[in-house]
Structure formats: C-alpha cells, structure tokens
Amino acid sequence: MSVFTRITRPQLDQFFSAYTLGEVAGFEGITDGIDNTNYGVTTTQGSFVLTLFESLTAGELPHFLNLLAHLGKNSLSCPRPQSDRQGNLLRQLGGKPAAVFNRLAGAAVTSPSVLHCQEMGLQLASLHRSTQGYVFPIKSGNDLSWCKKVLNNIDAHLTAADRALIDDELAFQAKNSTGHLPRGVIHADLFRDNVLFVDDRLSGLLDFYSACTDTLLLDVAITANDWCCDDGVVNHEKLTALLVAYESLRPLAPLEKQHWPTLLRAAALRFWLSRLEHQYYPRPGDITQQKDPLVFRNLLLQHRQQTYLSSNVNNFNLRSTA
C-alpha cells in the first residue's frame, strides 16, 4: 500500500467521473504496505480507497475482486469494490489496472493487546470457514522453490552465518513437508497494517492481493508471527489467546498441531527472505515502506529454539530447548 504511481488531481477527477460516487473533494497517498499504490479519496458522497495494481494483471484481478465479494456476502468486514456507470469493477489509470473500494472505519493497531489477538483468531477462523469449498485458482507463489530463488538473488549480500542459517532451515522445511495438511483460501499477509480496529472491535481486513490456496495453518502462523510478538519476542499469552479463539470456530486436527512449529518457522523464513529482497532490490516509488528483515531473522531463531507441544484442551504449550 505504498505509492509507486503518482497521479494528478485532473487524472483523478476524470477517473471518478466514470462513477456515481460524487465529485472529488480531496485525496492523499496511503503509505502502509509495499505492494500496490493506494490513495484515500474523499468525495461529496463519502470516503473511498483508490488502488492501482502494480503487479497483478487485469486478467488475474477478477479472482481477487470476486473473493472480496464472496467474503462480504459472508459478513466479513473487507473492502467492497465499487462499480462504474457501466458496471465495471476494473478501469485503467496511469497505465495500471485500478479499482475503487469503500473506505472502512478504524485504524491499524501498532501494539496489539491480548484482546486484539483473540479477535484476530476469531476473524481468521471465520475467513477459513467462509471459504470452505470456495474454488480460488491462485496458488501460492512463496513455496520452497521461491525461497531458493530469492536466496540465490540475494546471496552476494548475505553473511556466511545468515547463508548457513537459511540453508539449514530450507533443508529442515524440505524434510518436513506440510502439503498434506488441510488447505483452502488463505490471506497470507494478515499483518497489523492490514487490519483495522475501532477500539477493541475489528472493523476491517485489508489487502487480499496475496491471497492464495494453501495450507490453512500457514495463515495462522503468518498472523501469529506478527500479532503475538512484542518487540520481536514471542508473547505466549497473546499466542495462546489467538489459537484458542481460532480453535473455538475451527478446531485443529492433531496432525496440524504436530506441524505447528514447522509452519511458524516457514512463515518467519518466508518474510525474512522477502524483506531482504526488498531491502537489497527496492522498487522505485514516491512513498514506500522499508520493513526490517531482522525482525523475522530473530523470530526464526526463537522458533528454532522452542518445542511446541499440543495439549488435549484446544491449547498450545511450549518449552525451551535452548
């Protein structure tokens, strides 16, 4: 949600003239995130978000817009794409596919409480339940082969210790495949800056453009790695709150619990590598976010030093093996 494509007020006025959303009163770039260009736009009829898609093509985007429509019908709080006067959800702006969404109330939480983590567990389980049987043809692009490709791309920048750590973790992941676990539609990027809260009430899930069909428990691990850590350190109370809430709606199978530590490690490795790649090969843009790769390096080390044990009461305990 950074600004890679700069637009002008005349361009915006012309673009919105194709809609029945009122006249543009003001607009500003939204700086959170790293994938698409987003502008907050205020019109005489309300507040909207204009998204210019920097990577996804016009052929791919209908899958994501249809997913958002499906989730909205299942009472999940997510942005709804707005149709123009001809009923189109997608248009072109600045040479990029573009869409307009209603702007949801609330703000991102920078320091989640236990209650926030509990709410995240409930919402994530609701997302997974509401898409059971939903055919989403986008497969994950961040598997082990992707990790190896990124590693080769950034290899010259790595220390010997980091290269050894990544190699060892890749070997571990290859030996502990989780492809046989329950699969479905996952958000795959449910970080704090992609969720809105009004006080302690979740008001919006954002940025579904990394969504894919993959292991459901991976989605839980990605979410937990961000929401249940304080200053880079796992907060076990928050982690338990998220997992117990999730399991109240979608109980995990014993095999999923067995593979929980593997997926925590896989999620940490994936985002360490992606942030390293963004750091060494940043994309050009007027307003962009650089996120610290060391957060996920340190998190990976923590997960490698822990043994997570499933209990018989919808909970997870852990003990240090360091």
Side-chain angles (χ1 to χ4, degrees):
M1 288 189 287
S2 297
V3 175
F4 301 102
T5 301
R6 179 64 65 183
I7 61 173
T8 65
R9 176 60 182 267
Q11 283 180 299
L12 195 62
D13 288 336
Q14 182 179 11
F15 184 83
F16 267 79
S17 69
Y19 295 81
T20 58
L21 301 175
E23 297 181 1
V24 175
F27 72 107
E28 61 181 357
I30 300 174
T31 61
D32 292 336
I34 59 175
D35 288 325
N36 296 314
T37 290
N38 285 270
Y39 288 94
V41 181
T42 303
T43 76
T44 52
Q45 292 187 15
S47 296
F48 302 91
V49 173
L50 167 64
T51 299
L52 286 78
F53 298 97
E54 300 291 344
S55 301
L56 294 170
T57 68
E60 295 171 315
L61 283 165
H63 297 301
F64 296 95
L65 299 181
N66 291 338
L67 174 61
L68 288 170
H70 173 82
L71 295 175
K73 290 177 183 177
N74 283 271
S75 301
L76 267 80
S77 297
C78 56
R80 298 187 307 275
Q82 306 293 301
S83 300
D84 67 10
R85 297 176 191 273
Q86 282 72 47
N88 301 310
L89 297 178
L90 275 178
R91 295 182 62 84
Q92 288 277 327
L93 181 59
K96 306 288 177 63
V100 177
F101 302 86
N102 63 308
R103 189 163 191 171
L104 300 173
V109 174
T110 56
S111 300
S113 66
V114 171
L115 189 58
H116 289 132
C117 294
Q118 183 179 37
E119 183 73 2
M120 286 305 303
L122 291 171
Q123 290 293 324
L124 191 55
S126 296
L127 168 62
H128 292 165
R129 285 178 48 142
S130 69
T131 52
Q132 286 182 341
Y134 183 86
V135 178
F136 191 64
I138 306 298
K139 297 182 180 180
S140 174
N142 301 111
D143 55 11
L144 278 182
S145 63
W146 172 86
C147 290
K148 293 174 183 177
K149 180 179 177 181
V150 173
L151 175 59
N152 290 333
N153 191 32
I154 64 175
D155 184 57
H157 301 278
L158 296 175
T159 65
D162 280 354
R163 176 64 197 243
L165 174 58
I166 295 170
D167 282 339
D168 188 70
E169 186 59 32
L170 286 172
F172 172 82
Q173 294 293 330
K175 292 178 182 178
N176 293 273
S177 173
T178 57
H180 56 294
L181 297 180
R183 295 169 62 83
V185 179
I186 71 170
H187 183 284
D189 193 27
L190 206 53
F191 280 49
R192 302 175 199 183
D193 56 3
N194 283 332
V195 182
L196 302 177
F197 276 87
V198 175
D199 297 324
D200 291 329
R201 180 180 61 84
L202 192 149
S203 58
L205 302 175
L206 309 177
D207 200 359
F208 278 80
Y209 307 110
S210 296
C212 58
T213 296
D214 206 338
T215 304
L216 295 176
L217 193 59
L218 175 63
D219 218 12
V220 185
I222 291 170
T223 305
N225 274 347
D226 187 57
W227 286 83
C228 303
C229 295
D230 298 331
D231 298 321
V233 178
V234 177
N235 182 308
H236 300 155
E237 182 182 8
K238 292 180 180 180
L239 184 60
T240 298
L242 186 148
L243 290 168
V244 170
Y246 182 89
E247 285 207 276
S248 71
L249 296 181
R250 183 188 167 265
L252 299 176
L255 196 58
E256 289 182 288
K257 294 186 178 185
Q258 178 183 332
H259 284 279
W260 173 239
T262 301
L263 286 166
L264 284 172
R265 291 168 60 165
L269 176 66
R270 168 186 162 179
F271 283 96
W272 180 25
L273 288 171
S274 65
R275 288 189 177 186
L276 283 172
E277 188 173 43
H278 281 297
Q279 181 183 75
Y280 295 131
Y281 302 102
R283 292 166 60 185
D286 292 320
I287 307 172
T288 58
Q289 289 279 323
Q290 284 289 345
K291 297 187 176 182
D292 186 4
L294 289 178
V295 171
F296 284 101
R297 179 189 185 278
N298 295 337
L299 198 55
L300 174 60
L301 289 173
Q302 288 180 65
H303 290 322
R304 285 165 60 94
Q305 294 169 354
Q306 301 285 345
T307 297
Y308 294 80
L309 301 173
S310 61
S311 72
N312 295 322
V313 289
N314 287 345
N315 203 345
F316 288 82
N317 299 317
L318 52 84
R319 70 184 180 198
S320 174
T321 60

